[in-house]
Amino acid sequence: MPPVNRLENLEAIVQQFKELDETMTHYSDMLSLAGWDQQVMAPPKGKSYFSKVRGTLSTELFRLATSDQIGELLNALSRPEVQQQLDAATKAAVRERKRSYDKDKKIPEKLHKDFTIHTANARTVWEEARKENHFEKFRPTLERTVELVRQYSELYGYEKHPYDALLDDYEPGLTVEQLDRIFGTLRERTVQLLERIRHSPQQPRHAFEGAFDVSQQEKFNLHIIPLLGYDLDAGRLDVTAHPFAITMNVGDVRITTRYFENDPKGSLFATIHETGHAIYEQGVNAEYEGSVISSGVSLGIHESQSRFLENMVGRSEAFWERYFGDYKSFFPGKFENLSVRDFYRSVNIVAPTFIRVEADEVTYNLHIMIRYELEKGLVAGELEVKDLPRLWNEKMREYLGVEPPTDTLGVLQDVHWAYGAFGYFPTYTLGNLYSAQIRKTILKQFPDFYDIIRRGQFSVIREWLRENIHQHGSVYTPSELIERVTGEPLNPDYLVEYFEEKYSDVYGL
Ligand code: ZN
């Protein structure tokens, strides 16, 4: 490689880096497309072959991402005197690629392969164990996963806690020290609020009774998501067992949802949630297309966009003042003697559940804290896998006041541990915290925020989100972005304030 001290050489190096960045992004895009196809479109008999194709693509991508060529380019471009000369987008792409490169290089190929094969099999074992309510069947597999995850943590390296090394994969820079402090405050004040809610004489009544035609549910979803800013010419809505959003490129961001005749609420809010993820990705500056920075910056920031739309907009009274009439018209005969206010209160019922994904927004974070504490203990070697079912139930009783009758409804409910995703769960709560802080900033900019929603002018808010958050893709790190947007680092008080304000209204506290 030519020396970088001359400008024309620097330009050549940047050009080479951009080409490699684009090639790797194209591999990722095709992996996304193949993943989507496997879950949404492919006929059952074609699925297993697809797994092999994805394996090949993913191995090729790993080779490129850890190649000597990219390593040399990244080293040259990371030198302080060179950094000064790069534009913000290139600098961010170098930062992102280098972060993965440095981590990947620490993992021996054999461990990478063992982990990939082990977690692929673990998923099947977990599925069976969950179906049969048989934790012991999953235990040896999970013990091996924890062993592998601990090896990753040691190889990545950390300053204070082995779990920090894993958190960094999902939310760069996040540490146990920060989380313990944030979760401590949040837990204490959530539990106090829950007590007041539980004792309120004004309990909302359930609005959804009987069966709701699935095709009508789908029609309403397709009616509402463009009004929230989702561009259907740059995306599509399909059906899968577990809803998700996935990006092929800025002009192709797809979402999925699921339908249950007896639970239209679940489907509706899952769809709005995924729409939040999708409008983030659709809003990224098109000039970043083909680069690693063309996607949202972290899971936590991503989740802030989905939770904001789902809970702070979609479960607000103003939203339903605007759209309850529309919703009723899709389900003639339903909600006949129900006021908008009753409907709004009904979609905000707070009640502890066994299952995280069915939890209301107040109790949701307690589910996350349970997983966080258990993961942290396992990674630090302070807890043993064999004790998980007992510890899980104890914590459920302590935090939520309910104890799951089976492990299927308890410790076996989530897929994350099966695929080795330790450090992922906290980003869900982080998303809630970020969303409340962003909401607070929006309220300062738009004191008539709820009037805007009541008038059906959400596009005004979407534009603000695009301008301040979405367009930047991964240019800023999560902590840089939150400070830029809200003027301060992450502060858990805003979520608690939002809960207290909203639930005082819903429950007449
Ligand atoms: Zn989400």
Side-chain angles (χ1 to χ4, degrees), residues 243-245 273-274 277 299 302-304 306-307 310 424 428:
F244 64 89
H273 179 98
E274 300 308 332
H277 283 300
L299 290 179
H302 236 296
E303 198 66 7
S304 78
S306 55
R307 295 299 242 173
E310 176 193 351
Y424 188 122
Y428 290 122

Side-chain angles (χ1 to χ4, degrees), residues 335-447:
F335 313 116
E336 265 176 0
N337 297 311
L338 200 79
S339 65
V340 183
R341 173 116 189 117
D342 286 341
F343 184 81
Y344 154 69
R345 294 181 69 219
S346 167
V347 298
N348 287 293
I349 290 174
V350 173
T353 53
F354 303 131
I355 304 292
R356 172 184 63 88
V357 296
E358 293 168 5
D360 59 81
E361 61 179 332
V362 179
T363 57
Y364 187 89
N365 302 303
L366 299 173
H367 287 267
I368 297 302
M369 290 175 208
I370 292 172
R371 286 155 182 76
Y372 165 66
E373 285 168 22
L374 296 176
E375 281 190 356
K376 198 172 62 165
L378 288 169
V379 172
E382 290 158 0
L383 303 180
E384 288 190 61
V385 170
K386 70 172 171 51
D387 297 322
L388 279 183
R390 179 179 56 81
L391 293 169
W392 183 283
N393 290 358
E394 281 174 16
K395 284 187 184 291
M396 282 294 288
R397 209 179 323 124
E398 190 193 340
Y399 291 11
L400 286 144
V402 292
E403 193 176 318
T406 65
D407 289 335
T408 299
L409 294 171
V411 69
L412 287 172
Q413 65 182 268
D414 289 308
V415 67
H416 304 57
W417 289 346
Y419 62 76
F422 282 68
Y424 188 122
F425 282 119
T427 66
Y428 290 122
T429 288
L430 216 58
N432 293 331
L433 294 163
Y434 286 142
S435 67
Q437 192 163 328
I438 291 165
R439 170 184 170 271
K440 185 78 182 182
T441 302
I442 291 177
L443 282 171
K444 276 184 215 152
Q445 307 257 339
F446 301 96

Side-chain angles (χ1 to χ4, degrees), residues 74-85:
L74 288 170
N75 275 339
L77 293 171
S78 300
R79 284 162 46 188
E81 68 276 20
V82 174
Q83 285 268 302
Q84 285 171 4
Q85 299 179 60

Side-chain angles (χ1 to χ4, degrees), residues 12 28 47 93 105 120 132 203 213 229 279 449 509:
S28 303
K47 284 186 187 181
K105 282 303 254 192
E132 295 163 21
Q203 298 291 325
D213 189 286
I279 64 172
F449 172 65
L509 304 177

